[in-house]
Amino acid sequence: MLRQVYYDAFIRAKEYDKDWVAWRKLSASQKKEGKMPRKDLDLDCLLEILKDEREITCHSYRQSEINMLMQVADSMGFTLNTFTHILEGYKVAEKIKAHGAGASTFSDWWAYKYEVNDAIPHNGALLNDMGIVTAFNSDDAEMARRLNQEAAKAVKYGGASEEDAWKFITLNPAKLLHIEDKTGSLKKGKDADLVLWSGHPMSVYSVVEQTYVDGRLYYSLSLDRENRLRNAKERNRLTQKMLSEKKAGKKTQKIKKERSFIFHCDDESYSF
Amino acid sequence: MKNLTLINICLSFFALAVAQTPAPDQNKRILLYGGIAHLGNGEVIENSLIILEGGKILTIEDASNIRIDISDAEYHDVIGKHVYPGFILPNTTLGLADIDAVRATKDFDEVGEFNPHIRSIIAYNTDSPVIPTVRTNGVLIGQITPRGGMVSGTSSLVEFDAWNYEDALYKEDDAIHVNWPEKRISFVEHDHKKNHDDEYEKDLSEIKSFFNRAKSYVKSSGKKTDLALEAMKGVFTGSKQLFFHVRTVKGIKSAVLFAKKLNLDNFVLVGADDAWRVADFLAENEVPVVLNRIHRLPMRKNEDVDVAYKTPKILQDAGVLFCLDYEGDMERMGARNLPFTAGTSVAYGLSKEEALMSITLNAAKILKVDNSLGSLEEGKDATLIVSEGDALDVMSNNISLAFIRGKKLELNNHQIDLFNKYKKRHKEFSEEE
């Protein structure tokens, strides 16, 4: 149903462009007499899309809306970079392939909104089989740290090969983000962004032993163990110090509670 | 005969499109031969023979030196495959809601603060499309649990294969659920529980006085019937368990001491994020714990990032009886990940068989159904699964057979149907090219 909204926007952007092109063609004296078109930041942005200067990532669930936006894009002459979530993507996979967009989907989420009733955990594998560049996204602060287990779900449900499933969280998202020349796979010349796993990287039984970012050791399981002990000791020392000062009759202050909050895409109303 | 078969095929296809048809009672002896049997009690039989009869496990033993008669039996070669007791999901709203964002599909939170007489089983929808997607990963039993208020209501245990809620019942009205008042600390997650910060003292005195009233109601006779207090009877006579939903050290201790003061010994802690801080206290007092989904972030900034993952190991070492649940965001559709949370605890210290216990025998013990469920033992229910590979790891969890009291389940669901439908379509595309 949103089709007209998109068309309205892009048609306005095209006409806006026309006005500016015409304006720029005018001579200095003509400009003096004429009226400069109004600068519009929204339309500038849409124009960048039409001129392939700006990539589009589109939140999407149902096949109808996916289908519609691709039609809008095709008729307006631009290509969508990535459909995110794209839960019913498997229903229009051949169309997505023809259009040339990539897909970043959930591994197995469904049944949280009415429009995701037909979301299936086989989606990623089906899209991948169609030849679409496919990734898994997490959309969740906890799950983000277990993306390796999420990748395994493409094998379990959709029958993807282990190598393909692993690309869902490495090379393929790098491609969608246009950084595959720097990262996303272990290849001579790419950035040294590496992870050392204790076992099969997609197994729930494996843990990360080391990570490297740009060749620097960023995390180490054994170092982390030492640091935890050190921090616990230091914490205890500070607590004891405060307690003894209190005992000695020194001035105390109330505990200041720190608020922490995990932001979500619909948390725009949060106030600090 | 041919026509009959055709009709049968049409009928079963129709049934699949609507909802999974509950399986008929077991009428034939079933033999599972050669499987790696994970008994659920910590033991493994590498090459097992399992015979199911009349809905029970008739025999489970080492198959190496046995000659068996397979005539008149449904025979399954499960050589090299893994056999487990059906996984048990405590503290869930599965069947009480279908779609999170559609309020009309949700029925787990009644109006009011003190609702022990609200029975979740009444709202349990056996045809919820979510249930077949959970049992295809091996979860066969659930404790259907109400939420909200200070006393949320009464849960019941169900089997995930049934025509209606009475048919589904495994143990009726097994426990009353209490959201024990506690002060919030810097919770970083959204919480379905009421924010008790402002009314903590008031809530605490209200809930205590509610229990006192219930206790005196039970003792006295001739009073006018009060349904809420009447429902509390079982707690004091021992027929119902009391499940305290609580998260922090302070809350845990306060709930346990309160229960002890009332001379209750049939109580369980649910959630108990902080259980690892008071593991010895829980062990000493023999308090069982239904541990909140271990795939979660730490509650406080200064906690270890993997604190939730390693809590099972800490409780195991301390000797606390615990099992795992999946409460929280997306808990119904996510419940199919229960076995993988158990698997995660292996990466953080538990043995594989201990991890299995936390979703089988230990859950059955805590829900007080271990005389018939939770492990593969002769005389117990034939409620079990066969997986092509290790069922606690994502890639190898592939349930090819599932039985509830010997009834062989349809292992299909709405999602598998859609997958097959579109896989076929995609194949046609690639053939055209």
Side-chain angles (χ1 to χ4, degrees):
Chain A
M1 307 285 263
L2 272 171
R3 186 172 175 270
Q4 300 318 317
V5 176
Y6 285 114
Y7 268 122
D8 178 53
F10 286 114
I11 289 168
R12 273 196 295 130
K14 281 193 168 177
E15 286 171 358
Y16 171 76
D17 190 36
K18 245 191 231 165
D19 290 348
W20 274 99
V21 169
W23 170 259
R24 286 192 200 102
K25 277 184 187 156
L26 297 180
S27 67
S29 59
Q30 282 170 318
K31 276 182 181 166
K32 236 176 215 171
E33 283 166 25
K35 201 176 168 195
M36 190 176 83
R38 189 175 182 274
K39 183 85 177 156
D40 187 317
L41 296 179
D42 279 354
L43 295 177
D44 275 342
C45 176
L46 291 175
L47 212 50
E48 286 173 20
I49 293 169
L50 290 169
K51 291 178 177 171
D52 273 341
E53 291 162 4
R54 186 182 283 266
E55 302 291 1
I56 306 269
T57 291
C58 178
H59 181 287
S60 54
Y61 286 157
R62 304 198 87 156
Q63 59 156 319
S64 54
E65 61 193 27
I66 298 162
N67 213 351
M68 172 276 290
L69 193 62
M70 289 191 299
Q71 280 176 25
V72 170
D74 286 340
S75 66
M76 287 285 161
F78 67 91
T79 304
L80 294 143
N81 189 75
T82 310
F83 280 108
T84 51
H85 306 349
I86 188 150
L87 296 174
E88 283 189 11
Y90 68 94
K91 293 188 178 180
V92 286
E94 74 285 357
K95 292 175 193 281
I96 298 168
K97 170 72 181 162
H99 174 73
S104 177
T105 185
F106 292 132
S107 70
D108 66 348
W109 280 7
W110 76 294
Y112 52 94
K113 293 176 183 168
Y114 188 76
E115 57 270 36
V116 302
N117 252 350
D118 277 0
I120 62 175
H122 319 76
N123 187 39
L126 284 173
L127 294 169
N128 182 62
D129 285 348
M130 187 57 76
I132 296 161
V133 178
T134 304
F136 274 165
N137 50 233
S138 75
D139 214 27
D140 177 274
E142 200 286 324
M143 197 208 281
R145 58 184 188 163
R146 289 180 296 99
L147 266 185
N148 61 319
Q149 296 182 17
E150 294 298 291
K153 289 175 182 171
V155 179
K156 168 179 166 48
Y157 293 104
S161 73
E162 291 182 19
E163 289 72 19
D164 277 5
W166 193 240
K167 285 184 195 162
F168 284 18
I169 59 165
T170 54
L171 186 58
N172 291 358
K175 282 182 181 169
L176 295 175
L177 297 166
H178 306 291
I179 51 172
E180 79 271 27
D181 56 327
K182 293 199 207 78
T183 189
S185 63
L186 303 182
K187 201 174 171 187
K188 213 171 163 182
K190 284 201 183 186
D191 293 356
D193 301 336
L194 318 173
V195 184
L196 178 66
W197 291 87
S198 64
H200 192 305
M202 282 192 280
S203 169
V204 296
Y205 301 135
S206 299
V207 293
V208 170
E209 291 187 345
Q210 287 182 346
T211 61
Y212 291 86
V213 177
D214 289 342
R216 279 176 303 184
L217 182 66
Y218 183 78
Y219 168 84
S220 145
L221 185 63
S222 56
L223 254 178
D224 187 55
R225 273 193 198 125
E226 286 170 26
N227 288 344
R228 287 181 189 192
L229 285 176
R230 181 202 65 195
N231 291 352
K233 245 189 202 166
E234 178 65 2
R235 188 180 156 80
N236 190 41
R237 187 186 71 81
L238 291 170
T239 310
Q240 291 310 319
K241 197 169 180 210
M242 285 191 281
L243 284 174
S244 65
E245 303 250 311
K246 187 184 173 187
K247 252 188 203 163
K250 295 255 176 74
K251 214 177 137 196
T252 60
Q253 57 176 349
K254 268 196 171 173
I255 295 167
K256 279 182 207 142
K257 277 195 183 177
E258 219 177 292
R259 283 179 80 184
S260 34
F261 197 87
I262 291 175
F263 292 97
H264 198 255
C265 54
D266 52 4
D267 286 329
E268 76 281 0
S269 60
Y270 181 82
S271 57
F272 289 89
Chain B
M1 186 62 204
K2 241 183 189 169
N3 282 343
L4 251 180
T5 317
L6 194 65
I7 290 171
N8 273 335
I9 289 169
C10 291
L11 277 177
S12 60
F13 183 77
F14 177 72
L16 288 182
V18 177
Q20 276 52 58
T21 305
D25 285 343
Q26 182 184 2
N27 56 13
K28 205 175 178 186
R29 187 177 271 213
I30 296 168
L31 256 79
L32 304 173
Y33 178 79
I36 303 161
H38 303 262
L39 305 193
N41 61 6
E43 291 172 31
V44 179
I45 301 176
E46 290 292 339
N47 174 23
S48 67
L49 169 69
I50 305 171
I51 303 174
L52 317 179
E53 192 170 80
K56 298 279 179 190
I57 298 173
L58 180 71
T59 305
I60 174 154
E61 56 188 318
D62 194 317
S64 306
N65 301 313
I66 298 180
R67 292 177 73 87
I68 42 163
D69 175 15
I70 61 169
S71 58
D72 292 334
E74 183 182 317
Y75 176 79
H76 294 279
D77 174 348
V78 293
I79 294 170
K81 299 178 183 179
H82 296 256
V83 190
Y84 305 87
F87 303 144
I88 300 171
L89 176 65
N91 181 35
T92 180
T93 52
L94 195 57
L96 299 182
D98 287 339
I99 303 166
D100 294 350
V102 182
R103 196 171 169 218
T105 74
K106 295 161 83 167
D107 192 2
F108 50 75
D109 189 356
E110 274 304 330
V111 177
E113 289 292 327
F114 297 98
N115 294 322
H117 52 314
I118 297 296
R119 303 168 63 229
S120 64
I121 189 66
I122 308 301
Y124 177 66
N125 174 20
T126 48
D127 282 337
S128 163
V130 184
I131 295 167
T133 67
V134 172
R135 70 181 198 182
T136 39
N137 279 7
V139 183
L140 303 185
I141 304 284
Q143 182 194 34
I144 309 308
T145 306
R147 306 258 190 258
M150 273 197 269
V151 180
S152 314
T154 303
S155 61
S156 285
L157 304 188
V158 301
E159 293 172 333
F160 291 144
D161 192 57
W163 291 98
N164 51 59
Y165 75 72
E166 288 171 305
D167 187 30
L169 270 172
Y170 193 79
K171 189 175 183 188
E172 191 168 5
D173 299 338
D174 74 303
I176 286 178
H177 293 259
V178 174
N179 286 320
W180 191 251
E182 56 190 330
K183 280 190 176 170
R184 279 161 65 108
I185 51 162
S186 57
F187 289 157
V188 287
E189 285 169 274
H190 297 288
D191 196 341
H192 71 82
K193 281 166 75 175
K194 193 177 151 185
N195 180 355
H196 288 286
D197 269 9
D198 306 331
E199 300 167 354
Y200 173 70
E201 298 295 341
K202 188 172 140 270
D203 287 347
L204 203 59
S205 78
E206 268 183 25
I207 200 162
K208 285 180 176 173
S209 98
F210 177 78
F211 270 88
N212 287 334
R213 267 190 294 142
K215 200 172 183 182
S216 59
Y217 178 87
V218 171
K219 277 185 192 158
S220 64
S221 55
K223 265 190 186 170
K224 275 196 178 164
T225 305
D226 181 316
L227 289 180
L229 299 180
E230 192 74 31
M232 292 294 288
K233 254 186 186 171
V235 169
F236 296 101
T237 59
S239 67
K240 281 181 198 166
Q241 295 206 86
L242 197 55
F243 277 50
F244 288 108
H245 295 241
V246 66
R247 301 184 74 173
T248 61
V249 168
K250 216 173 168 185
I252 289 170
K253 287 200 165 166
S254 142
V256 169
L257 295 177
F258 175 73
K260 294 264 165 194
K261 210 171 154 194
L262 282 175
N263 287 322
L264 297 173
D265 54 10
N266 51 336
F267 68 93
V268 171
L269 300 184
V270 187
D273 303 43
D274 267 350
W276 61 278
R277 292 177 187 267
V278 286
D280 291 336
F281 169 81
L282 296 171
E284 271 163 37
N285 288 284
E286 295 179 5
V287 181
V289 172
V290 177
L291 197 58
N292 184 11
R293 183 194 309 181
I294 67 163
H295 283 171
R296 65 179 142 81
L297 293 170
M299 205 156 47
R300 304 171 186 85
K301 272 191 168 177
N302 62 341
E303 286 174 357
D304 289 347
V305 288
D306 52 8
V307 66
Y309 299 161
K310 65 185 184 182
T311 298
K313 170 68 173 167
I314 295 170
L315 298 186
Q316 181 82 23
D317 287 350
V320 178
L321 177 63
F322 72 95
C323 65
L324 306 181
D325 79 10
Y326 205 81
E327 186 183 348
D329 276 353
M330 312 232 185
E331 66 173 60
R332 291 171 294 282
M333 67 86 175
R336 58 178 161 189
N337 295 317
L338 180 74
F340 313 137
T341 65
T344 300
S345 72
V346 175
Y348 293 82
L350 281 194
S351 75
K352 287 186 185 179
E353 301 311 316
E354 285 169 344
L356 175 65
M357 285 171 83
S358 72
I359 54 171
T360 55
L361 187 59
N362 286 355
K365 280 183 181 168
I366 290 169
L367 300 170
K368 298 216 188 285
V369 287
D370 54 310
N371 57 343
S372 56
L373 277 178
S375 58
L376 303 178
E377 288 178 70
E378 286 169 10
K380 285 199 180 186
D381 288 358
T383 296
L384 51 96
I385 52 169
V386 176
S387 174
E388 300 294 298
D390 182 343
L392 302 192
D393 203 356
V394 181
M395 275 185 300
S396 45
N397 174 299
N398 182 0
I399 310 300
S400 48
L401 283 169
F403 301 92
I404 290 183
R405 281 183 295 115
K407 298 187 288 183
K408 195 164 90 187
L409 307 188
E410 268 182 24
L411 288 175
N412 204 344
N413 59 46
H414 171 65
Q415 302 191 312
I416 295 171
D417 284 346
L418 281 170
F419 175 50
N420 290 330
K421 178 176 165 182
Y422 282 91
K423 196 166 64 176
K424 190 164 164 264
R425 177 171 161 78
H426 291 184
K427 204 173 161 231
E428 283 161 10
F429 275 118
S430 60
E431 277 164 7
E432 275 170 28
E433 273 172 17

